[in-house]
Amino acid sequence: MAESMTTVWPGKPYPLGAVWDGEGVNFALFSERAEKVELCLFDAKGRREMQRVTLQEQTDQVWHCYLPEVRPGLLYGYRVYGAYDPERGLRFNPHKLLLDPYAKAIFGTLRWSDAPFGYKIGHKREDLSFDRRDSAAGMPKCQVINPAFAWGDDRPPAIPWHDTIIYELHVRGYTMQHPKVPPALRGTYAGLATVPVVAHLRKLGATTVELMPVHAFVDDRHLVEKGLRNYWGYNSIGFLAPEGRYASGDPVSEFKTLVKTLHASGIEVILDVVYNHTAEGSHLGPTLSFRGIDNAAYYRLTPDNPRFYMDYTGCGNTLNMTHPRVLQLIMDSLRYWVLEMHVDGFRFDLASALARELHEVDRLGAFFDIIHQDPVLSQVKLIAEPWDLGEGGYQVGNFPIGWVEWNDKYRDVVRAYWKGEGGLIDDLAYRLTGSSDLYERSGRRPYSSVNFVTAHDGFTLHDLVSYNEKHNETNGENGRDGAQDSRSWNCGVEGPTDEPEINALRARQKRNVLATLLLSQGVPMLLAGDEMGRSQQGNNNAYCQDSAISWVSWDLQAEDQALLAFVRRMIQCRKQHPVFRRRHFFQGRSIKGVGVKDIVWLNPDGGEMNDEEWQQSFARCLGMYLAGEALEDRDEHNEPILDDDFLLLMNAHDGEIVFVLPGYRSDSRWEVVLDTGYPVGKKIAANYPSGGSYPLKGRSLALLIQIEER
């Protein structure tokens, strides 16, 4: 090892991490139970350890020093000494180089071997054994950054929730096959910020992109050994560092440039974040960071045997949200991404795990309390995936005010309805109108429901209407992975077909689902590529497929172009008409001063639905009248918001249903806005008199607008 190259000063315990102040770098690392901490400095390629600095100062369980001669770009890691006694929850091993939990950049990737494990792989005592191999050679390194960036007049777009349209995408997969993105930029933050990509987002009409995990993460060993990768990225190891594989250059500045570029086009950026577990896995996992720094502080251990971990996530461990330093890490991470990286919000993976204080999910827990009182985080978009894998983890509808939720009840009923299942119209009515049964009683609004039919986890929309069964053979798990029941329907043939009638039906089914999604109250979320017919070849769990299976295809056929045009039109319709994005739940009664109900549910005969009709097991059709003058919403100048009256007709039966059109206004007619029963671009009869009949084809949806006769 080289001679000492740096002067060492005591430094300060705050802020945690490695912080460049313009003159030197302060290093601070929390460890409650450590006996000794060494800071390891590496050469520019991360291959050679140049120096070890023993941190002599410890303040409030934070080990710290200041190196006045160090500059941004330095690569570093830690070695932490203490007891190795897994049966007491202690797993210190100084032979393992550790990543700083507060690292803002991580250089290199993990090269798998047995060395990163704190115990001897294959030993009869498993993790109770102790391994002395040095792991530094195969470990990524932390990197000191210079946070300076020319943000200029960047401002958050601040899209109101009721106007939000979310577009879930994968940074790498979105541009890997884009012909107009320079090859060197494909799959990167820079590629996502190129002109053709941003132009597509703007023309589509999405207001908010939700990026799948961009926190630094690790590819699981078992996947790498099979030639696969953790493509989705739900395997975090660094909560402040952007994933380096998505960068063509400096990850931090490149990510900031992406955010600034999207903001300039009025598009928000939300991050899908994984604070419920880490990449270190179960008691048999590697020692990469938290486990070796202070295992008992960072993780939930089983009370009766702290050798093992509480696993509410299915990933081997759960972060210990009852420890103040763990809460601090998560809050510091969230604030960093808002204040320094300028993101607009977060979607919390398996969010119920974050609310477990003892065992039960506590909606009044410390995690929520801290966020609600935080002047920064309380003002950004907060989305919960409202479940985890533990007992009582399913919490749809139970998150507090200030949060919105992925609504899987919406997904399930819309899928089942358009598949053709009967007896669902009562449940469907709740989902179309913002799920008041889930959110109204607690004082929340329709936009508390993030409505989706497809997401990264499961079939794409094209596959939803093309496959009855999952086809996950390339995942190498013998078909054991992925959801067993996707509520999908292949329309008569499994997978690709040349039969025109089946392809036409599939195209219609896609239009049905997308129109339903974009005409429902709540916040719609589109899966990237669904607007262009993207397929994963029947794979409903492509988490490990960093290949064309997962990547968005930009080679659009005629039917793909037609679907894209349809989605653009539907989004434009939603944006133009506030009746589809109400801020308050429907009342189902006459609104004072208006004289009409805000919503009327209709049977095919044109009459209001009665209790018996709602419960009919064979029912597959429904009419919904929306009164535009009964919105009860006001604009920023307190002026009432008014809109046109609309009629939505839905028929999931395989045969035609004739609907009698309501005649609430004798001096009006109905004009067809869209009918999914007809191919995009085909002309259909446009006008129908009030009280007249409208023939709605089987498995179709129609939207009509009421026009006053003059």
Side-chain angles (χ1 to χ4, degrees):
M1 189 176 298
E3 295 181 2
S4 177
M5 297 180 297
T6 60
T7 301
V8 181
W9 294 347
K12 298 178 180 180
Y14 185 86
L16 290 164
V19 179
W20 161 250
D21 63 8
E23 297 180 4
V25 178
N26 192 82
F27 293 86
L29 179 77
F30 159 75
S31 180
E32 182 178 342
R33 297 168 179 84
E35 298 171 3
K36 175 183 173 182
V37 175
E38 290 178 340
L39 171 64
C40 305
L41 310 182
F42 290 84
D43 67 7
K45 295 184 178 180
R47 296 175 182 170
R48 186 160 63 99
E49 189 173 328
M50 304 293 291
Q51 182 181 348
R52 290 191 191 181
V53 178
T54 299
L55 303 190
Q56 303 288 353
E57 301 292 330
Q58 185 201 42
T59 306
D60 297 334
Q61 301 173 341
V62 175
W63 303 74
H64 52 91
C65 75
Y66 184 90
L67 303 183
E69 298 166 7
V70 161
R71 298 293 179 263
L74 174 80
L75 302 182
Y76 72 98
Y78 287 102
R79 297 181 188 273
V80 181
Y81 295 72
Y84 186 85
D85 188 354
E87 291 180 316
R88 292 197 296 132
L90 305 176
R91 295 178 179 269
F92 295 103
N93 188 333
H95 303 286
K96 310 305 169 184
L97 187 75
L98 305 173
L99 295 173
D100 181 356
Y102 277 78
K104 297 183 177 69
I106 294 178
F107 178 87
T109 57
L110 177 63
R111 297 196 303 276
W112 279 109
S113 68
D114 290 350
F117 293 82
Y119 63 96
K120 293 180 180 178
I121 298 289
H123 195 282
K124 63 181 181 180
R125 300 186 69 226
E126 295 184 317
D127 60 307
L128 298 181
S129 64
F130 185 76
D131 185 80
R132 299 180 184 278
R133 281 171 292 192
D134 194 297
S135 68
M139 280 289 293
K141 311 300 186 293
C142 307
Q143 188 170 38
V144 178
I145 70 162
N146 183 345
F149 182 77
W151 282 109
D153 59 354
D154 179 72
R155 295 288 185 274
I159 308 295
W161 265 124
H162 62 276
D163 291 334
T164 299
I165 299 172
I166 298 174
Y167 189 72
E168 186 195 30
L169 65 82
H170 189 284
V171 171
R172 178 170 167 82
Y174 199 65
T175 62
M176 280 300 293
Q177 298 188 104
H178 201 302
K180 294 183 180 179
V181 173
L185 300 183
R186 292 175 188 169
T188 68
Y189 306 120
L192 195 55
T194 55
V195 171
V197 175
V198 176
H200 175 80
L201 296 173
R202 291 184 62 181
K203 194 170 182 180
L204 180 65
T207 68
T208 307
V209 295
E210 181 178 304
L211 303 181
M212 290 177 65
V214 298
H215 286 170
F217 64 90
V218 171
D219 290 318
D220 312 68
R221 187 179 191 180
H222 74 276
L223 293 178
V224 173
E225 291 175 346
K226 290 191 292 186
L228 301 170
R229 301 176 72 172
N230 192 316
Y231 172 71
W232 287 353
Y234 293 91
N235 206 32
S236 302
I237 198 62
F239 296 121
L240 284 83
E243 173 54 45
R245 75 185 73 180
Y246 299 154
S248 60
D250 169 33
V252 177
S253 62
E254 194 169 313
F255 183 88
K256 290 178 177 179
T257 299
L258 166 62
V259 173
K260 183 178 179 181
T261 301
L262 291 176
H263 280 182
S265 292
I267 299 172
E268 295 179 313
V269 178
I270 286 178
L271 302 187
D272 192 339
V273 290
V274 188
Y275 293 115
N276 52 74
H277 74 279
T278 78
E280 291 184 304
S282 71
H283 63 291
L284 298 178
T287 297
L288 307 174
S289 178
F290 312 94
R291 174 173 283 139
I293 293 171
D294 198 329
N295 182 65
Y298 277 109
Y299 292 117
R300 296 287 298 271
L301 307 180
T302 56
D304 56 339
N305 189 350
R307 174 187 176 187
F308 301 107
Y309 297 81
M310 302 291 288
D311 182 11
Y312 296 111
T313 67
C315 299
N317 64 57
T318 304
L319 277 173
N320 183 13
M321 297 296 293
T322 66
H323 196 290
R325 288 294 189 179
V326 179
L327 270 174
Q328 179 188 1
L329 168 63
I330 293 174
M331 296 302 157
D332 286 347
S333 168
L334 291 168
R335 279 188 289 264
Y336 175 79
W337 285 95
V338 174
L339 296 175
E340 292 294 326
M341 307 295 258
H342 286 207
V343 304
D344 303 287
F346 305 93
R347 178 264 188 189
F348 292 81
D349 179 66
L350 300 181
S352 293
L354 302 176
R356 291 184 183 271
E357 299 227 332
L358 296 176
H359 177 70
E360 281 79 18
V361 177
D362 184 0
R363 65 192 296 264
L364 301 177
F367 175 68
F368 297 121
D369 288 343
I370 293 172
I371 283 186
H372 286 170
Q373 61 80 36
D374 189 281
V376 174
L377 300 180
S378 62
Q379 300 305 305
V380 301
K381 285 185 162 72
L382 302 171
I383 305 173
E385 183 183 35
W387 51 79
D388 65 16
L389 301 187
E391 180 183 355
Y394 188 77
Q395 293 291 321
V396 172
N398 292 333
F399 274 67
I401 287 175
W403 288 74
V404 307
E405 303 173 13
W406 272 28
N407 187 348
D408 67 331
K409 292 182 181 292
Y410 181 96
R411 174 198 65 196
D412 292 348
V413 74
V414 171
R415 285 187 177 194
Y417 174 76
W418 284 116
K419 182 182 177 182
E421 295 182 16
L424 296 174
I425 58 173
D426 54 343
D427 194 5
L428 179 66
Y430 276 117
R431 307 308 149 225
L432 292 173
T433 55
S435 296
S436 61
D437 57 327
L438 299 176
Y439 304 113
E440 187 173 25
R441 287 190 301 273
S442 59
R444 299 164 76 187
R445 301 288 187 88
Y447 52 71
S448 298
S449 176
V450 174
N451 300 329
F452 67 103
V453 182
T454 56
H456 68 274
D457 186 4
F459 279 139
T460 65
L461 178 58
H462 181 83
D463 290 353
L464 188 69
V465 303
S466 303
Y467 294 91
N468 285 348
E469 308 294 335
K470 62 183 179 180
H471 296 269
N472 299 356
E473 295 78 11
T474 54
N475 293 358
E477 299 182 39
N478 298 317
R480 294 187 300 270
D481 65 306
Q484 299 299 323
D485 180 14
S486 297
R487 294 178 173 84
S488 60
W489 179 50
N490 65 17
C491 297
V493 173
E494 188 74 354
T497 180
D498 293 328
E499 297 186 32
E501 289 186 1
I502 290 179
N503 285 328
L505 178 55
R506 289 175 177 175
R508 188 190 314 166
Q509 288 286 77
K510 287 188 280 188
R511 294 194 295 271
N512 288 335
V513 169
L514 289 165
T516 302
L517 177 66
L518 291 165
L519 296 175
S520 296
Q521 305 297 326
V523 177
M525 184 182 79
L526 289 166
L527 173 63
D530 273 357
E531 77 276 17
M532 302 179 288
R534 180 173 79 90
S535 173
Q536 291 181 168
Q537 303 169 30
N539 193 319
N540 76 346
N541 188 36
Y543 76 101
C544 58
Q545 298 294 332
D546 187 6
S547 67
I549 290 176
S550 296
W551 301 340
V552 172
S553 173
W554 298 88
D555 182 17
L556 305 187
Q557 305 304 307
E559 59 269 25
D560 304 323
Q561 295 280 7
L563 182 62
L564 177 57
F566 176 83
V567 177
R568 288 170 174 167
R569 182 184 173 202
M570 289 305 309
I571 290 177
Q572 184 181 38
C573 178
R574 180 181 181 88
K575 288 185 172 183
Q576 289 177 341
H577 293 286
V579 74
F580 301 119
R581 41 190 175 83
R582 291 172 57 98
R583 304 177 202 178
H584 301 87
F585 286 108
F586 291 102
Q587 299 300 310
R589 55 174 171 76
S590 297
I591 303 302
K592 184 177 180 180
V594 177
V596 297
K597 292 183 178 181
D598 52 5
I599 186 170
V600 182
W601 299 102
L602 301 170
N603 60 33
D605 295 330
E608 286 197 49
M609 294 279 291
N610 59 43
D611 291 343
E612 181 181 351
E613 289 171 322
W614 281 115
Q615 302 304 318
Q616 291 172 342
S617 62
F618 58 83
R620 290 174 174 81
C621 58
L622 185 65
M624 181 174 69
Y625 173 84
L626 303 176
E629 61 179 315
L631 283 176
E632 292 191 292
D633 292 333
R634 292 181 175 272
D635 63 19
E636 59 271 22
H637 302 296
N638 203 36
E639 294 296 325
I641 296 175
L642 304 176
D643 198 3
D644 298 301
D645 300 337
F646 284 90
L647 179 64
L648 179 65
L649 305 176
M650 305 176 71
N651 177 21
H653 184 62
D654 57 7
E656 181 179 280
I657 297 288
V658 176
F659 278 85
V660 175
L661 301 177
Y664 299 128
R665 303 179 191 276
S666 58
D667 57 345
S668 67
R669 57 182 170 83
W670 291 98
E671 183 176 290
V672 179
V673 177
L674 69 96
D675 187 329
T676 63
Y678 296 88
V680 175
K682 183 173 182 179
K683 290 186 177 181
I684 58 177
N687 295 293
Y688 292 82
S690 294
S693 298
Y694 187 85
L696 185 60
K697 292 184 177 182
R699 303 192 191 280
S700 297
L701 172 154
L703 180 68
L704 295 85
I705 185 172
Q706 192 164 233
I707 305 295
E708 291 187 19
E709 298 283 10
R710 301 197 179 191

